[in-house]
């Protein structure tokens, strides 16, 4: 995709895809994200290339958006799939003007909204998880004494 020539002489197709104010040049998928993809999204054995191709395709189409207006770590794909993402500035890559390009690091896939209704409000879901874990720890501490 990088440096692909366009139809006009001496012009090049941009080799990055914009997502908000970031210019994505590379996608990195963690092992945890691949495991979550298999268990929560595809249910089959998906390779890193297939997942990366899916994300690139959705980026090109503009179907990846921030889930919350002011947060930049949770994104929604196709209005259904939630993923947690971090961005890192690429040290080797710059655009033609010299602006920095970014790597998209996919931490995990949370699941599909159509399958898990509790994902609709992530903040209350995570506070509930913290509370339930805390109460489990308190209950286990009481039984040990």
């Amino acid at each position: 995709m990088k440096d692909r020539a366009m139809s006009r002489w001496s012009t090049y197709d941009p080799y990055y895809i914009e997502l908000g104010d970031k210019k994505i040049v590379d996608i990195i998928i963690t092992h945890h994200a691949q495991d979550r993809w298999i268990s929560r999204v595809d249910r089959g054995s998906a390779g890193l290339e297939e997942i990366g191709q899916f994300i690139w395709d959705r980026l090109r189409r503009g179907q990846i958006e921030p889930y919350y207006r002011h947060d930049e770590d949770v994104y929604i794909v196709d209005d259904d799939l939630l993923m947690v993402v971090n961005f890192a500035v690429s040290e080797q890559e710059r655009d033609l003007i010299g602006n920095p390009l970014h790597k998209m690091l996919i931490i995990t896939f949370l699941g599909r909204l159509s399958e898990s209704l509790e994902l609709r409000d992530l903040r209350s879901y995570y506070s509930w998880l913290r509370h339930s874990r805390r109460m489990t720890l308190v209950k286990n501490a009481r039984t040990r004494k």
Side-chain angles (χ1 to χ4, degrees):
M1 185 164 135
K2 185 175 179 182
D3 295 333
R4 191 178 70 196
M6 291 179 62
S7 59
R8 292 188 339 203
W9 180 75
S10 187
T11 58
Y12 290 91
D13 202 15
Y15 56 92
Y16 56 83
I17 299 173
E18 291 192 26
L19 180 63
D21 62 341
K22 308 279 193 267
K23 295 177 181 178
I24 311 295
V25 71
D26 195 13
I27 295 176
I28 300 169
I29 302 168
T30 62
H31 181 69
H32 180 73
Q34 184 182 12
D35 288 345
R36 289 294 175 106
W37 176 273
I38 292 169
S39 67
R40 295 183 178 186
V41 179
D42 194 10
R43 306 277 193 260
S45 61
L48 293 174
E49 293 176 12
E50 296 163 356
I51 299 169
Q53 186 62 35
F54 174 80
I55 298 298
W56 272 118
D57 183 48
R58 295 313 186 262
L59 273 171
R60 272 191 220 110
R61 293 184 194 174
Q63 295 176 336
I64 297 179
E65 301 171 354
Y67 188 57
Y68 290 116
R69 188 176 303 159
H70 300 293
D71 281 345
E72 290 189 355
D73 56 348
V74 179
Y75 284 84
I76 186 165
V77 181
D78 292 334
D79 294 327
D80 191 32
L81 176 63
L82 290 177
M83 64 180 179
V84 178
V85 172
N86 280 343
F87 295 100
V89 176
S90 177
E91 300 298 325
Q92 296 88 11
E93 303 285 338
R94 298 269 178 198
D95 64 1
L96 296 175
I97 302 170
N99 296 327
L101 299 174
H102 295 86
K103 296 178 185 178
M104 176 188 248
L105 176 66
I106 300 177
I107 307 288
T108 187
F109 291 98
L110 297 175
R112 296 191 180 274
L113 292 174
S114 58
E115 296 174 2
S116 302
L117 295 177
E118 59 268 5
L119 292 177
R120 296 214 180 264
D121 188 11
L122 283 178
R123 291 185 177 121
S124 65
Y125 176 64
Y126 280 124
S127 68
W128 172 79
L129 277 179
R130 278 193 300 273
H131 177 71
S132 65
R133 286 183 188 142
R134 187 179 311 129
M135 295 310 291
T136 303
L137 290 172
V138 167
K139 194 186 321 178
N140 289 341
R142 286 184 197 153
T143 57
R144 275 190 239 145
K145 289 182 180 181

Coordinates of all heavy atoms in Angstrom, one line a residue, residues 39-75:
S39 N -12.4 -15.9 20.9 CA -13.5 -16.3 21.9 C -14.7 -15.4 21.8 O -15.8 -15.9 22.1 CB -12.9 -16.3 23.3 OG -12.6 -14.9 23.6
R40 N -14.6 -14.2 21.4 CA -15.8 -13.3 21.5 C -16.3 -12.8 20.1 O -17.4 -12.3 20.1 CB -15.4 -12.1 22.3 CG -15.1 -12.4 23.7 CD -14.9 -11.2 24.6 NE -14.7 -11.6 25.9 CZ -14.5 -10.7 26.9 NH1 -14.5 -9.4 26.7 NH2 -14.3 -11.2 28.1
V41 N -15.5 -12.9 19.1 CA -15.9 -12.3 17.8 C -16.2 -13.4 16.7 O -17.3 -13.5 16.2 CB -14.9 -11.3 17.3 CG1 -15.4 -10.7 16.0 CG2 -14.7 -10.2 18.3
D42 N -15.1 -14.1 16.4 CA -15.2 -15.0 15.3 C -15.5 -16.5 15.6 O -16.0 -17.2 14.8 CB -13.9 -14.9 14.5 CG -14.0 -15.5 13.1 OD1 -15.1 -15.8 12.7 OD2 -12.9 -15.7 12.5
R43 N -15.2 -16.9 16.8 CA -15.4 -18.3 17.2 C -14.6 -19.3 16.5 O -14.7 -20.5 16.7 CB -16.9 -18.7 17.2 CG -17.8 -17.7 17.9 CD -17.9 -18.0 19.4 NE -19.0 -17.3 20.0 CZ -18.9 -16.2 20.7 NH1 -17.7 -15.7 20.8 NH2 -19.9 -15.7 21.3
G44 N -13.9 -18.9 15.5 CA -13.0 -19.9 14.8 C -11.6 -19.5 15.0 O -11.2 -18.7 15.8
S45 N -10.7 -20.2 14.3 CA -9.3 -19.9 14.4 C -8.9 -18.8 13.4 O -8.9 -19.0 12.2 CB -8.4 -21.1 14.2 OG -8.7 -21.6 12.9
A46 N -8.7 -17.6 13.9 CA -8.4 -16.5 13.0 C -6.9 -16.1 13.2 O -6.5 -16.0 14.3 CB -9.3 -15.3 13.3
G47 N -6.2 -15.9 12.1 CA -4.9 -15.5 12.1 C -4.7 -14.0 12.2 O -5.7 -13.2 12.0
L48 N -3.5 -13.5 12.5 CA -3.3 -12.1 12.6 C -3.5 -11.4 11.3 O -4.0 -10.3 11.3 CB -1.9 -11.9 13.1 CG -1.6 -12.3 14.6 CD1 -0.1 -12.2 14.9 CD2 -2.4 -11.6 15.6
E49 N -3.2 -12.0 10.2 CA -3.4 -11.4 8.9 C -4.9 -11.2 8.6 O -5.3 -10.1 8.1 CB -2.8 -12.3 7.8 CG -1.3 -12.4 7.9 CD -0.8 -13.3 6.8 OE1 -1.5 -13.7 5.9 OE2 0.4 -13.6 6.9
E50 N -5.7 -12.1 9.0 CA -7.2 -12.0 8.8 C -7.8 -10.8 9.6 O -8.6 -10.0 9.2 CB -7.9 -13.3 9.1 CG -7.5 -14.4 8.1 CD -7.9 -15.7 8.6 OE1 -8.4 -15.8 9.8 OE2 -7.6 -16.7 7.9
I51 N -7.3 -10.8 10.9 CA -7.8 -9.7 11.8 C -7.3 -8.4 11.3 O -8.1 -7.4 11.2 CB -7.4 -10.0 13.2 CG1 -7.9 -11.3 13.7 CG2 -7.8 -8.8 14.1 CD1 -7.3 -11.8 15.0
G52 N -6.0 -8.3 10.9 CA -5.5 -7.0 10.4 C -6.1 -6.6 9.1 O -6.4 -5.4 9.0
Q53 N -6.4 -7.5 8.2 CA -7.1 -7.2 7.0 C -8.5 -6.6 7.3 O -9.0 -5.7 6.7 CB -7.2 -8.4 6.1 CG -7.8 -8.1 4.7 CD -6.9 -7.1 3.9 OE1 -5.7 -7.1 4.1 NE2 -7.5 -6.3 3.2
F54 N -9.2 -7.2 8.3 CA -10.6 -6.8 8.7 C -10.5 -5.3 9.2 O -11.3 -4.5 8.8 CB -11.1 -7.7 9.7 CG -12.4 -7.3 10.3 CD1 -13.6 -7.5 9.6 CD2 -12.5 -6.6 11.5 CE1 -14.8 -7.0 10.2 CE2 -13.6 -6.2 12.1 CZ -14.8 -6.4 11.4
I55 N -9.5 -5.1 10.0 CA -9.4 -3.7 10.6 C -9.0 -2.7 9.5 O -9.6 -1.6 9.5 CB -8.4 -3.7 11.8 CG1 -8.9 -4.6 12.9 CG2 -8.2 -2.3 12.3 CD1 -10.2 -4.2 13.5
W56 N -8.0 -3.0 8.7 CA -7.7 -2.1 7.6 C -8.9 -1.8 6.7 O -9.1 -0.7 6.3 CB -6.6 -2.7 6.7 CG -5.2 -2.4 7.2 CD1 -4.3 -3.3 7.6 CD2 -4.6 -1.1 7.3 NE1 -3.1 -2.7 8.0 CE2 -3.3 -1.3 7.8 CE3 -5.0 0.2 7.1 CZ2 -2.4 -0.3 8.1 CZ3 -4.1 1.2 7.4 CH2 -2.8 1.0 7.8
D57 N -9.6 -2.8 6.4 CA -10.8 -2.6 5.5 C -11.8 -1.7 6.2 O -12.3 -0.8 5.5 CB -11.5 -4.0 5.2 CG -12.6 -3.9 4.3 OD1 -12.5 -3.2 3.2 OD2 -13.7 -4.5 4.6
R58 N -12.0 -1.9 7.5 CA -13.0 -1.0 8.2 C -12.4 0.4 8.3 O -13.2 1.4 8.2 CB -13.3 -1.5 9.5 CG -14.1 -2.9 9.5 CD -15.2 -2.8 8.5 NE -16.1 -4.0 8.6 CZ -16.0 -5.0 7.7 NH1 -15.0 -5.0 6.8 NH2 -16.8 -6.1 7.8
L59 N -11.1 0.6 8.5 CA -10.5 1.9 8.5 C -10.7 2.6 7.2 O -11.0 3.8 7.1 CB -9.0 1.8 8.8 CG -8.6 1.7 10.3 CD1 -7.1 1.4 10.5 CD2 -8.9 3.0 11.0
R60 N -10.4 1.9 6.1 CA -10.6 2.5 4.8 C -12.0 3.0 4.5 O -12.2 4.0 3.9 CB -10.2 1.5 3.7 CG -8.7 1.5 3.4 CD -8.5 0.7 2.1 NE -7.2 0.0 2.3 CZ -7.1 -1.3 2.5 NH1 -8.2 -2.1 2.4 NH2 -6.0 -1.9 2.7
R61 N -13.0 2.2 5.0 CA -14.4 2.5 4.8 C -14.9 3.6 5.7 O -16.0 4.1 5.6 CB -15.2 1.3 4.9 CG -15.1 0.3 3.9 CD -16.0 -0.8 4.1 NE -15.7 -2.0 3.3 CZ -16.4 -3.1 3.4 NH1 -17.4 -3.2 4.3 NH2 -16.0 -4.2 2.7
G62 N -14.1 3.9 6.7 CA -14.5 4.9 7.7 C -15.6 4.3 8.7 O -16.4 5.1 9.3
Q63 N -15.5 3.0 9.0 CA -16.5 2.4 9.9 C -15.9 2.2 11.3 O -16.5 1.4 12.0 CB -16.9 1.1 9.3 CG -17.7 1.2 8.0 CD -18.0 -0.1 7.3 OE1 -17.4 -1.1 7.6 NE2 -19.0 -0.1 6.5
I64 N -14.8 2.8 11.6 CA -14.3 2.7 13.0 C -14.4 4.1 13.6 O -13.9 5.1 13.0 CB -12.9 2.3 13.0 CG1 -12.8 0.8 12.5 CG2 -12.3 2.3 14.4 CD1 -11.4 0.3 12.5
E65 N -15.1 4.2 14.7 CA -15.4 5.5 15.4 C -15.1 5.4 16.9 O -15.2 4.3 17.4 CB -16.8 5.9 15.2 CG -17.2 6.1 13.7 CD -18.7 6.3 13.6 OE1 -19.5 6.2 14.6 OE2 -19.2 6.5 12.5
P66 N -14.8 6.5 17.6 CA -14.7 6.5 19.0 C -16.0 6.1 19.7 O -17.0 6.6 19.2 CB -14.2 7.9 19.4 CG -13.8 8.5 18.1 CD -14.5 7.8 17.0
Y67 N -16.0 5.3 20.7 CA -17.2 4.9 21.4 C -17.7 6.0 22.2 O -18.9 6.3 22.3 CB -17.0 3.6 22.2 CG -18.2 3.0 22.8 CD1 -19.3 2.6 21.9 CD2 -18.3 2.8 24.1 CE1 -20.4 2.1 22.4 CE2 -19.5 2.2 24.6 CZ -20.5 1.9 23.8 OH -21.7 1.3 24.3
Y68 N -16.8 6.6 23.0 CA -17.2 7.8 23.7 C -16.6 9.0 23.0 O -15.5 9.0 22.4 CB -16.6 7.7 25.2 CG -17.3 6.7 26.0 CD1 -16.6 5.6 26.5 CD2 -18.7 6.8 26.3 CE1 -17.3 4.6 27.2 CE2 -19.3 5.9 27.1 CZ -18.6 4.8 27.5 OH -19.3 3.8 28.3
R69 N -17.2 10.2 23.2 CA -16.8 11.4 22.5 C -15.4 11.9 22.8 O -14.7 12.3 22.0 CB -17.8 12.5 22.7 CG -17.6 13.7 21.9 CD -18.7 14.7 22.1 NE -20.0 14.1 21.8 CZ -21.1 14.6 22.3 NH1 -21.2 15.7 23.1 NH2 -22.3 14.0 22.0
H70 N -15.1 11.8 24.1 CA -13.8 12.4 24.6 C -12.7 11.3 24.9 O -11.6 11.7 25.2 CB -14.0 13.2 25.8 CG -15.0 14.4 25.5 ND1 -14.7 15.4 24.7 CD2 -16.2 14.6 26.0 CE1 -15.7 16.3 24.6 NE2 -16.6 15.8 25.4
D71 N -13.1 10.1 24.8 CA -12.1 9.0 25.0 C -11.4 8.6 23.7 O -12.1 8.5 22.7 CB -12.7 7.8 25.7 CG -12.9 8.0 27.2 OD1 -12.3 9.0 27.7 OD2 -13.7 7.2 27.8
E72 N -10.2 8.3 23.8 CA -9.5 7.8 22.6 C -9.0 6.4 22.7 O -8.1 5.9 22.0 CB -8.3 8.7 22.3 CG -8.7 10.0 21.8 CD -7.5 10.8 21.3 OE1 -6.3 10.3 21.4 OE2 -7.7 11.9 20.8
D73 N -9.5 5.6 23.7 CA -9.0 4.2 23.8 C -10.1 3.2 23.5 O -9.7 2.0 23.2 CB -8.5 4.0 25.2 CG -9.6 4.3 26.3 OD1 -10.6 4.9 26.0 OD2 -9.3 4.0 27.5
V74 N -11.3 3.5 23.4 CA -12.4 2.5 23.1 C -13.0 2.9 21.8 O -13.5 4.0 21.6 CB -13.4 2.3 24.2 CG1 -14.5 1.3 23.7 CG2 -12.8 1.9 25.5
Y75 N -13.0 2.0 20.8 CA -13.5 2.3 19.5 C -14.5 1.3 19.1 O -14.5 0.1 19.6 CB -12.4 2.3 18.4 CG -11.6 3.5 18.5 CD1 -10.5 3.7 19.3 CD2 -11.9 4.6 17.6 CE1 -9.7 4.8 19.4 CE2 -11.1 5.8 17.7 CZ -10.1 5.9 18.6 OH -9.3 7.0 18.7

